[in-house]
Amino acid sequence: MILPNTQSPLQSIWSQKAWPKKMQSNASHKSRIVGMRRSDAEEDEFYETNPADFIILLDQMKRDGIELSHKIWEPSCGHGALSEELSIRGHNVLSSDLIPRGYGNTSDFLFQHTTLDGTKLPSKIQGDIITNPPYKGSIDIQFVERANELVEDGGWVIMLVKTQWFASLGRFLLFQRIGRPNYIYTHHARISIFKAGDRSLGSNNSLDYEWYLWKKGTPGRAERRSIAHPKWASKYPELDILNFVNN
């Protein structure tokens, strides 16, 4: 579903003053999607990405010549795992989340035109959108479609999904609407995902994950690329793993 957008252009959305890291929370905020409360669904769906695994992706993209924009929106920021690493690398990051988690701003990426404190959200983004989206009730598909609507030509939409994500009628129809991804980066070592962002509980590394990359305005062919864990290279130097992946 492509959502209509009636927002007016925003001049200062990317300034640090306009987007403080302190969360503007509102416990009563609720929105509904596919018959259930999105806030409740996403509260249960908070699985934080290990920043170390995100760094591996960014380093591999850089080796492959893929450059991110200076401005990036992380619309499901959680505790800021991805946002912080992007900021360290010099990007101007807009961080938001439906659920108040102590980082970024509170807003519904799919439906809201403003944050809870009244700050307008952009109608178009001269930059990229990167996130680990929620999944319940096809919210992941709507996240991809909304992000594709918001970025301008040349902007990247990058989503972390499970490896089996490709095999679905709903996603097939999504690809018909917005096009296939340009690249699919597959982790060849299972990454760490932290339930509720609580690392003391340990990580769930029983599933395989990939990053889907769409470049707006550039037809994609779902080219698959590999991400080899650096630990493999040091543990098995005779396999020349990084050279194999990068060539």
Coordinates of all heavy atoms in Angstrom, one line a residue, residues 162-211:
K162 N 15.4 -11.3 7.5 CA 15.8 -12.7 7.6 C 16.0 -13.2 6.2 O 15.4 -12.7 5.2 CB 14.7 -13.5 8.3 CG 14.5 -13.0 9.8 CD 13.3 -13.7 10.4 CE 13.0 -13.2 11.8 NZ 11.8 -13.8 12.3
T163 N 16.9 -14.2 6.1 CA 17.2 -14.7 4.8 C 16.0 -15.3 4.0 O 16.0 -15.1 2.8 CB 18.3 -15.9 5.0 OG1 19.4 -15.3 5.6 CG2 18.7 -16.4 3.6
Q164 N 15.0 -15.8 4.7 CA 13.9 -16.4 4.0 C 12.9 -15.3 3.6 O 11.8 -15.6 3.0 CB 13.1 -17.4 4.9 CG 12.5 -16.8 6.1 CD 13.5 -17.0 7.3 OE1 14.7 -16.9 7.2 NE2 12.9 -17.2 8.5
W165 N 13.2 -14.0 3.8 CA 12.3 -12.9 3.5 C 11.9 -12.8 2.1 O 10.8 -12.4 1.7 CB 13.0 -11.6 3.9 CG 12.1 -10.4 4.1 CD1 11.3 -10.1 5.1 CD2 12.0 -9.3 3.1 NE1 10.7 -8.9 4.9 CE2 11.1 -8.4 3.7 CE3 12.6 -9.0 1.9 CZ2 10.7 -7.2 3.1 CZ3 12.2 -7.8 1.3 CH2 11.3 -7.0 1.8
F166 N 12.8 -13.3 1.2 CA 12.6 -13.2 -0.3 C 11.4 -14.1 -0.7 O 10.7 -13.8 -1.6 CB 13.9 -13.6 -1.0 CG 13.9 -13.2 -2.5 CD1 14.5 -12.0 -2.8 CD2 13.3 -14.0 -3.4 CE1 14.6 -11.6 -4.2 CE2 13.4 -13.6 -4.8 CZ 14.0 -12.4 -5.1
A167 N 11.2 -15.2 0.0 CA 10.3 -16.2 -0.4 C 8.9 -16.0 0.2 O 8.5 -16.5 1.2 CB 10.8 -17.6 0.0
S168 N 8.2 -15.0 -0.4 CA 6.9 -14.7 0.1 C 6.1 -14.0 -1.0 O 6.6 -13.1 -1.8 CB 7.0 -13.7 1.3 OG 5.8 -12.9 1.5
L169 N 4.8 -14.3 -1.2 CA 4.0 -13.6 -2.2 C 3.9 -12.1 -1.9 O 3.9 -11.3 -2.8 CB 2.6 -14.3 -2.2 CG 1.5 -13.6 -3.1 CD1 2.0 -13.6 -4.6 CD2 0.2 -14.3 -3.0
G170 N 3.7 -11.8 -0.6 CA 3.6 -10.4 -0.2 C 4.9 -9.6 -0.7 O 4.8 -8.5 -1.2
R171 N 6.1 -10.2 -0.5 CA 7.3 -9.5 -0.9 C 7.4 -9.5 -2.4 O 7.9 -8.5 -3.0 CB 8.5 -10.1 -0.3 CG 8.7 -9.7 1.2 CD 8.1 -10.8 2.1 NE 8.0 -10.4 3.5 CZ 8.2 -11.2 4.5 NH1 8.5 -12.5 4.2 NH2 8.1 -10.8 5.7
F172 N 7.0 -10.6 -3.1 CA 7.0 -10.6 -4.6 C 6.1 -9.5 -5.1 O 6.6 -8.8 -6.1 CB 6.5 -12.0 -5.1 CG 6.4 -12.1 -6.6 CD1 7.5 -12.3 -7.3 CD2 5.1 -11.9 -7.2 CE1 7.4 -12.4 -8.7 CE2 5.0 -12.0 -8.6 CZ 6.2 -12.2 -9.3
L173 N 5.0 -9.3 -4.5 CA 4.1 -8.2 -5.0 C 4.8 -6.8 -4.7 O 4.6 -5.9 -5.5 CB 2.8 -8.3 -4.3 CG 1.9 -9.5 -4.7 CD1 0.6 -9.6 -3.9 CD2 1.6 -9.5 -6.2
L174 N 5.5 -6.7 -3.6 CA 6.2 -5.5 -3.2 C 7.3 -5.2 -4.3 O 7.4 -4.1 -4.8 CB 6.9 -5.7 -1.9 CG 8.0 -4.6 -1.5 CD1 7.3 -3.3 -1.2 CD2 8.8 -5.0 -0.3
F175 N 8.0 -6.3 -4.7 CA 9.0 -6.1 -5.8 C 8.4 -5.6 -7.1 O 9.0 -4.9 -7.9 CB 9.8 -7.4 -6.0 CG 10.5 -7.8 -4.8 CD1 10.8 -9.2 -4.6 CD2 11.0 -7.0 -3.8 CE1 11.5 -9.7 -3.5 CE2 11.6 -7.4 -2.7 CZ 11.9 -8.8 -2.5
Q176 N 7.2 -6.1 -7.4 CA 6.5 -5.6 -8.6 C 6.1 -4.1 -8.5 O 6.2 -3.4 -9.5 CB 5.2 -6.5 -8.8 CG 5.5 -7.9 -9.3 CD 4.2 -8.5 -9.8 OE1 3.1 -8.4 -9.2 NE2 4.3 -9.3 -10.9
R177 N 5.8 -3.7 -7.3 CA 5.4 -2.3 -7.1 C 6.6 -1.3 -7.1 O 6.6 -0.3 -7.8 CB 4.6 -2.1 -5.8 CG 3.3 -2.8 -5.8 CD 2.4 -2.3 -4.7 NE 3.0 -2.7 -3.4 CZ 2.7 -3.9 -2.8 NH1 2.0 -4.8 -3.3 NH2 3.3 -4.1 -1.6
I178 N 7.7 -1.7 -6.4 CA 8.8 -0.7 -6.3 C 10.1 -1.2 -7.0 O 11.1 -0.5 -7.0 CB 9.1 -0.4 -4.8 CG1 9.8 -1.7 -4.1 CG2 7.9 0.0 -4.0 CD1 10.3 -1.4 -2.7
G179 N 10.1 -2.4 -7.5 CA 11.3 -3.0 -8.1 C 12.0 -3.9 -7.2 O 11.9 -3.8 -6.0
R180 N 12.8 -4.8 -7.8 CA 13.7 -5.6 -7.0 C 14.8 -4.8 -6.4 O 15.2 -3.8 -6.9 CB 14.2 -6.7 -7.8 CG 13.2 -7.8 -8.3 CD 13.8 -8.8 -9.2 NE 14.1 -8.2 -10.5 CZ 14.6 -8.9 -11.6 NH1 14.9 -10.2 -11.4 NH2 14.8 -8.3 -12.7
P181 N 15.4 -5.3 -5.2 CA 16.5 -4.6 -4.7 C 17.7 -4.6 -5.6 O 17.8 -5.6 -6.4 CB 16.8 -5.4 -3.4 CG 16.2 -6.8 -3.6 CD 15.0 -6.5 -4.5
N182 N 18.6 -3.6 -5.5 CA 19.8 -3.6 -6.3 C 20.8 -4.7 -5.8 O 21.4 -5.4 -6.6 CB 20.4 -2.2 -6.3 CG 19.5 -1.2 -6.9 OD1 18.6 -0.7 -6.3 ND2 19.8 -0.9 -8.2
Y183 N 20.9 -4.8 -4.5 CA 21.8 -5.7 -3.9 C 21.2 -6.4 -2.7 O 20.4 -5.8 -2.0 CB 23.1 -5.0 -3.5 CG 23.8 -4.3 -4.6 CD1 23.8 -2.9 -4.6 CD2 24.5 -4.9 -5.6 CE1 24.4 -2.1 -5.6 CE2 25.1 -4.2 -6.6 CZ 25.0 -2.8 -6.6 OH 25.6 -2.1 -7.6
I184 N 21.6 -7.6 -2.5 CA 21.3 -8.4 -1.3 C 22.6 -8.8 -0.6 O 23.3 -9.6 -1.2 CB 20.4 -9.6 -1.5 CG1 19.1 -9.1 -2.2 CG2 20.1 -10.3 -0.2 CD1 18.2 -10.3 -2.6
Y185 N 22.9 -8.2 0.5 CA 24.2 -8.6 1.2 C 23.9 -9.7 2.2 O 23.1 -9.4 3.2 CB 24.8 -7.4 1.9 CG 25.7 -6.6 0.9 CD1 25.1 -5.6 0.1 CD2 27.0 -6.8 0.9 CE1 25.9 -4.8 -0.7 CE2 27.8 -6.0 0.1 CZ 27.3 -5.0 -0.7 OH 28.1 -4.3 -1.6
T186 N 24.5 -10.8 2.1 CA 24.2 -12.0 3.0 C 25.3 -12.1 4.0 O 26.5 -12.2 3.6 CB 24.1 -13.3 2.2 OG1 23.0 -13.1 1.2 CG2 23.8 -14.4 3.1
H187 N 25.0 -12.2 5.3 CA 26.0 -12.5 6.3 C 26.2 -14.0 6.3 O 25.3 -14.8 6.4 CB 25.4 -12.1 7.7 CG 25.5 -10.7 8.0 ND1 26.6 -10.0 8.4 CD2 24.5 -9.7 7.9 CE1 26.4 -8.8 8.6 NE2 25.1 -8.5 8.3
H188 N 27.5 -14.4 6.1 CA 27.8 -15.8 6.0 C 28.2 -16.3 7.4 O 28.5 -17.5 7.6 CB 28.9 -16.1 5.0 CG 28.4 -16.0 3.6 ND1 27.6 -16.9 3.1 CD2 28.6 -15.0 2.7 CE1 27.3 -16.6 1.8 NE2 27.9 -15.4 1.5
A189 N 28.1 -15.5 8.4 CA 28.1 -15.9 9.8 C 26.9 -15.3 10.5 O 26.5 -14.2 10.2 CB 29.4 -15.4 10.5
R190 N 26.3 -16.1 11.3 CA 25.0 -15.6 12.0 C 25.4 -14.5 12.9 O 26.3 -14.5 13.7 CB 24.4 -16.8 12.7 CG 23.7 -17.8 11.8 CD 23.1 -18.9 12.5 NE 22.3 -19.7 11.6 CZ 21.8 -20.9 11.8 NH1 22.0 -21.4 13.1 NH2 21.2 -21.6 10.9
I191 N 24.5 -13.4 12.7 CA 24.8 -12.2 13.5 C 24.1 -12.2 14.8 O 23.2 -13.1 15.1 CB 24.4 -11.0 12.7 CG1 22.9 -10.9 12.5 CG2 25.1 -10.9 11.3 CD1 22.4 -9.6 11.8
S192 N 24.4 -11.3 15.7 CA 23.8 -11.2 17.0 C 22.7 -10.3 17.0 O 22.8 -9.1 16.6 CB 24.9 -10.8 18.1 OG 25.9 -11.7 18.1
I193 N 21.5 -10.7 17.5 CA 20.3 -9.9 17.7 C 19.9 -10.0 19.1 O 19.8 -11.1 19.7 CB 19.2 -10.4 16.8 CG1 19.6 -10.4 15.3 CG2 17.9 -9.6 17.0 CD1 19.8 -9.0 14.7
F194 N 19.7 -8.8 19.8 CA 19.4 -8.8 21.2 C 17.9 -8.5 21.5 O 17.4 -7.4 21.1 CB 20.3 -7.7 21.9 CG 21.8 -8.0 21.7 CD1 22.5 -7.2 20.8 CD2 22.4 -8.9 22.4 CE1 23.8 -7.4 20.6 CE2 23.8 -9.2 22.2 CZ 24.5 -8.4 21.3
K195 N 17.2 -9.4 22.1 CA 15.8 -9.2 22.4 C 15.7 -8.0 23.4 O 16.4 -7.9 24.4 CB 15.3 -10.5 23.1 CG 13.9 -10.4 23.7 CD 12.8 -10.2 22.7 CE 11.4 -10.3 23.3 NZ 10.4 -10.1 22.3
A196 N 14.8 -7.1 23.0 CA 14.5 -5.9 23.8 C 15.7 -5.1 24.0 O 15.8 -4.2 24.9 CB 13.8 -6.3 25.1
G197 N 16.8 -5.3 23.2 CA 18.0 -4.5 23.4 C 18.8 -4.8 24.6 O 19.7 -4.1 25.0
D198 N 18.4 -5.9 25.3 CA 19.1 -6.2 26.6 C 20.2 -7.3 26.3 O 19.9 -8.5 26.1 CB 18.0 -6.8 27.5 CG 18.6 -7.0 28.9 OD1 19.8 -6.9 29.1 OD2 17.8 -7.2 29.9
R199 N 21.4 -6.8 26.3 CA 22.5 -7.7 26.0 C 22.8 -8.7 27.2 O 23.5 -9.7 26.9 CB 23.8 -6.9 25.7 CG 23.5 -6.0 24.5 CD 24.8 -5.3 24.0 NE 24.5 -4.4 22.9 CZ 25.4 -3.9 22.1 NH1 26.6 -4.1 22.3 NH2 25.0 -3.0 21.2
S200 N 22.3 -8.4 28.3 CA 22.5 -9.3 29.5 C 21.8 -10.6 29.3 O 22.1 -11.6 29.9 CB 22.1 -8.6 30.8 OG 20.7 -8.4 30.8
L201 N 20.8 -10.6 28.4 CA 20.0 -11.8 28.1 C 20.7 -12.7 27.1 O 20.2 -13.8 26.8 CB 18.6 -11.4 27.6 CG 17.7 -10.6 28.6 CD1 16.4 -10.2 28.0 CD2 17.5 -11.4 29.9
G202 N 21.8 -12.2 26.5 CA 22.4 -12.9 25.5 C 21.8 -12.6 24.1 O 20.8 -11.9 24.0
S203 N 22.3 -13.1 23.1 CA 21.8 -12.8 21.7 C 21.2 -14.0 21.1 O 21.4 -15.2 21.5 CB 23.0 -12.4 20.8 OG 23.9 -13.5 20.6
N204 N 20.2 -13.7 20.2 CA 19.6 -14.8 19.4 C 20.3 -14.8 18.1 O 20.1 -14.0 17.2 CB 18.1 -14.4 19.2 CG 17.4 -15.4 18.3 OD1 18.0 -16.5 18.0 ND2 16.2 -15.2 17.9
N205 N 21.2 -15.8 17.9 CA 21.9 -16.0 16.7 C 21.6 -17.3 16.0 O 22.4 -18.0 15.4 CB 23.4 -15.9 16.9 CG 23.9 -16.9 17.9 OD1 23.2 -17.7 18.5 ND2 25.2 -16.9 18.2
S206 N 20.3 -17.7 16.1 CA 19.8 -18.9 15.5 C 19.3 -18.7 14.1 O 18.9 -19.7 13.5 CB 18.8 -19.6 16.4 OG 17.6 -18.7 16.5
L207 N 19.2 -17.5 13.6 CA 18.7 -17.2 12.3 C 19.7 -16.5 11.4 O 20.7 -15.9 11.9 CB 17.4 -16.3 12.5 CG 16.3 -16.8 13.3 CD1 15.2 -15.8 13.5 CD2 15.7 -18.0 12.6
D208 N 19.4 -16.6 10.2 CA 20.3 -16.0 9.2 C 19.7 -14.7 8.7 O 18.5 -14.6 8.5 CB 20.5 -16.9 8.0 CG 21.2 -18.2 8.4 OD1 22.2 -18.2 9.1 OD2 20.6 -19.3 8.0
Y209 N 20.6 -13.7 8.4 CA 20.1 -12.4 8.1 C 20.8 -11.8 6.8 O 21.9 -12.2 6.5 CB 20.3 -11.4 9.2 CG 19.3 -11.5 10.3 CD1 19.6 -12.4 11.4 CD2 18.1 -10.8 10.4 CE1 18.6 -12.6 12.4 CE2 17.2 -11.0 11.4 CZ 17.5 -11.9 12.4 OH 16.6 -12.0 13.5
E210 N 20.1 -10.9 6.1 CA 20.6 -10.3 4.9 C 20.2 -8.8 5.0 O 19.2 -8.4 5.7 CB 20.0 -10.9 3.7 CG 20.3 -12.4 3.5 CD 19.7 -13.0 2.3 OE1 18.5 -12.6 2.0 OE2 20.3 -13.8 1.6
W211 N 20.9 -8.0 4.2 CA 20.6 -6.6 4.1 C 20.1 -6.4 2.6 O 20.8 -6.7 1.7 CB 21.8 -5.7 4.3 CG 22.3 -5.7 5.7 CD1 23.2 -6.6 6.2 CD2 22.0 -4.9 6.8 NE1 23.5 -6.4 7.5 CE2 22.7 -5.3 7.9 CE3 21.1 -3.8 6.9 CZ2 22.6 -4.6 9.2 CZ3 21.0 -3.1 8.2 CH2 21.8 -3.6 9.3

